[in-house]
Amino acid sequence: MEELETTCGKFAINFPEGSNFTEVVIREGDALRQLDPKAPIKTRLSGVIGTPVEYLKKRVQTDQFTQQRSFLTVNREEILLSLVINEDDEYTRGQVDGKLEFHPKFVEFGINIGKIWTPVELGMFFKMNRAFFQDKTANMKLVTELMNFTATVNNKIERNVKENGDRADIFVQAVNSNLPESFYLQIPIFKGMPAETLEVETFAKINGREVVFTLLSPGANQTLEDIRDGVIDAQLEQIREIAPDIAIIEV
């Protein structure tokens, strides 16, 4: 038995018999505070369409999750892939999303979404975005015509007064314009994708007593469908090679 003396007083320590060397460390002062236990940090990532593939490439060989307890949902309308790992464990469940987003400039043009342009607004927008036109000369001509837009709105009111006092008013309007029916853009539809050649039509309509335009492109819709399915299928093919036991579910 060994007696030790500290600032807190004397105390005795019993060493086991036959011990040749024993070390005792005595710390004085306030003891270090123990950290509160915390739950594991859940995986929650969101990025471009290839994010789930990149995640699987680096994690599938680790013990972070098992393929049989994970699944991938495919939403083709939203162009969204969602990988869920450790689906049955509240503490370690995680999610990795990959989404294909529209290119900001394609959204600005407002093609096929009913965006309304006055002639001057459209002319100024085309002028500032000449880089996306396939033919720069055609762009300049289109800008000039929009900035000096002339349209004839023919209004015809047809009133029929019936003998019983009822009256029907028919308001017929027609727009005749010197604008070309269509033009071509060289613009990417999705972020990170190459530019596509799109034929865009100008559709005029009456808004009260003002003529406004919307931009339509049937070709853009078809290209969108082709790109969307092609990109998603390419990602799924890689996932099946990297992690063949992960369930893939179309939603």
Side-chain angles (χ1 to χ4, degrees), residues 172-233:
V172 182
Q173 299 175 312
V175 178
N176 298 318
S177 166
N178 57 351
L179 291 176
E181 293 183 357
S182 64
F183 57 91
Y184 287 89
L185 292 178
Q186 194 77 25
I187 186 172
I189 297 179
F190 296 108
K191 285 183 179 179
M193 303 294 290
E196 303 286 340
T197 300
L198 303 176
E199 182 180 11
V200 181
E201 301 172 5
T202 56
F203 180 75
K205 62 181 182 179
I206 304 299
N207 184 13
R209 289 290 188 265
E210 185 181 34
V211 178
V212 295
F213 290 94
T214 58
L215 302 180
L216 303 176
S217 178
N221 274 346
Q222 182 61 52
T223 302
L224 186 153
E225 295 290 331
D226 294 342
I227 293 176
R228 180 191 67 185
D229 288 335
V231 169
I232 289 178
D233 290 341

Side-chain angles (χ1 to χ4, degrees), residues 58-240:
K58 305 300 183 182
R59 297 290 190 272
V60 74
Q61 299 299 331
T62 69
D63 59 357
Q64 187 167 336
F65 67 94
T66 61
Q67 296 184 42
Q68 291 80 5
R69 296 169 55 225
S70 307
F71 64 88
L72 180 88
T73 59
V74 183
N75 188 326
R76 292 183 182 268
E77 290 301 318
E78 297 293 330
I79 322 176
L80 174 66
L81 302 179
S82 294
L83 173 66
V84 176
I85 60 174
N86 298 329
E87 60 191 66
D88 58 344
D89 189 333
E90 179 62 29
Y91 284 96
T92 62
R93 182 187 301 125
Q95 184 169 334
V96 181
D97 292 338
K99 184 174 178 60
L100 188 62
E101 297 182 339
F102 286 105
H103 193 281
K105 190 57 65 174
F106 180 78
V107 175
E108 281 187 45
F109 271 87
I111 298 170
N112 294 340
I113 62 173
K115 184 173 183 177
I116 300 297
W117 299 92
T118 66
V120 173
E121 288 173 342
L122 191 57
M124 289 297 297
F125 182 78
F126 284 171
K127 184 175 183 178
M128 299 303 296
N129 290 276
R130 183 178 301 170
F132 296 99
F133 280 74
Q134 189 179 48
D135 187 336
K136 303 303 185 287
T137 301
N139 168 267
M140 295 174 62
K141 184 175 183 293
L142 189 56
V143 169
T144 300
E145 291 174 347
L146 283 166
M147 300 300 290
N148 299 282
F149 180 77
T150 57
T152 301
V153 180
N154 298 317
N155 299 326
K156 180 181 179 183
I157 300 179
E158 199 177 286
R159 294 185 175 90
N160 296 322
V161 180
K162 299 182 180 179
E163 292 181 357
N164 61 5
D166 293 336
R167 186 177 69 180
D169 291 348
I170 302 174
F171 190 37
V172 182
Q173 299 175 312
V175 178
N176 298 318
S177 166
N178 57 351
L179 291 176
E181 293 183 357
S182 64
F183 57 91
Y184 287 89
L185 292 178
Q186 194 77 25
I187 186 172
I189 297 179
F190 296 108
K191 285 183 179 179
M193 303 294 290
E196 303 286 340
T197 300
L198 303 176
E199 182 180 11
V200 181
E201 301 172 5
T202 56
F203 180 75
K205 62 181 182 179
I206 304 299
N207 184 13
R209 289 290 188 265
E210 185 181 34
V211 178
V212 295
F213 290 94
T214 58
L215 302 180
L216 303 176
S217 178
N221 274 346
Q222 182 61 52
T223 302
L224 186 153
E225 295 290 331
D226 294 342
I227 293 176
R228 180 191 67 185
D229 288 335
V231 169
I232 289 178
D233 290 341
Q235 295 298 313
L236 296 183
E237 183 177 351
Q238 292 185 69
I239 290 172
R240 290 188 178 101

Side-chain angles (χ1 to χ4, degrees), residues 1-2 13-24:
M1 182 176 69
E2 186 77 18
I13 299 176
N14 291 319
F15 295 105
E17 294 183 4
S19 298
N20 296 322
F21 176 79
T22 302
E23 181 180 14
V24 178

